Amino acid sequence: MKFKKLIRRINWYPPLLGMGIRVRKTDDDFRRFEVELRQKWYTRNLFGTHFGGSLYTMTDPFYVFILTVNLGREYIIWDQSAKIDFLKPAKGTITGIFELDEAKIDEIRASVEEVGKGAYDFATMLTDESGVDVAKVEKTVYVRRKRR
């Protein structure tokens, strides 16, 4: 699939590259992404911590990627909404893990096949180098079967 080749090059995507964000690991079936944000002088805010927009950007595409690759081209998949709660000032390297197991993907597929569309909620914690949670991100992803 052409999409898998694009994902392998995601670290070169300008919004991620420019903010010091990179995919550190992904599995072969693209159901898990480990993403990191390294603090750079140009991504700090006035207080010397990570700019909140950088924290959100590191979370933006990954649930859509997981579902797009695993559900296939017969589905339309979009981010519908997002919310980020900043729990403490973020410094250093921040990590986010985005993962959906096969059972959850099958559950979404079955639900969309039955109803035709749906919105699905996912949450991810962003952690600092010490393993302390610095932000919680909640995403709602819209999935619809393409018209046949």
Side-chain angles (χ1 to χ4, degrees), residues 19-65:
M19 288 193 188
I21 298 166
R22 71 182 188 103
V23 174
R24 189 166 47 197
K25 294 180 190 171
T26 186
D27 59 6
D28 291 336
D29 56 11
F30 295 100
R31 289 192 311 234
R32 183 179 193 279
F33 288 84
E34 187 173 322
V35 181
E36 72 177 15
L37 168 62
R38 293 184 180 195
Q39 193 161 14
K40 307 286 186 184
W41 65 268
Y42 51 85
T43 62
R44 289 186 190 132
N45 63 22
L46 181 64
F47 307 105
T49 61
H50 279 288
F51 169 63
S54 298
L55 290 166
Y56 175 74
T57 299
M58 76 179 287
T59 72
D60 188 39
F62 297 103
Y63 286 116
V64 169
F65 285 176

Side-chain angles (χ1 to χ4, degrees), residues 79-111:
D79 278 323
Q80 187 172 37
S81 66
K83 176 185 174 192
I84 187 166
D85 289 322
F86 301 104
L87 305 175
K88 74 175 281 190
K91 291 185 174 186
T93 300
I94 306 301
T95 301
I97 297 175
F98 307 89
E99 182 173 26
L100 295 178
D101 62 23
E102 190 171 358
K104 183 65 177 176
I105 293 167
D106 290 343
E107 177 186 318
I108 292 169
R109 181 182 289 111
S111 173

Side-chain angles (χ1 to χ4, degrees), residues 127-147:
T127 58
D128 67 14
E129 297 161 322
S130 303
V132 174
D133 294 336
V134 297
K136 179 180 181 182
V137 179
E138 298 172 357
K139 307 268 308 204
T140 300
V141 178
Y142 172 83
V143 181
R144 179 172 65 82
R145 179 93 172 152
K146 288 182 180 176
R147 290 175 174 60

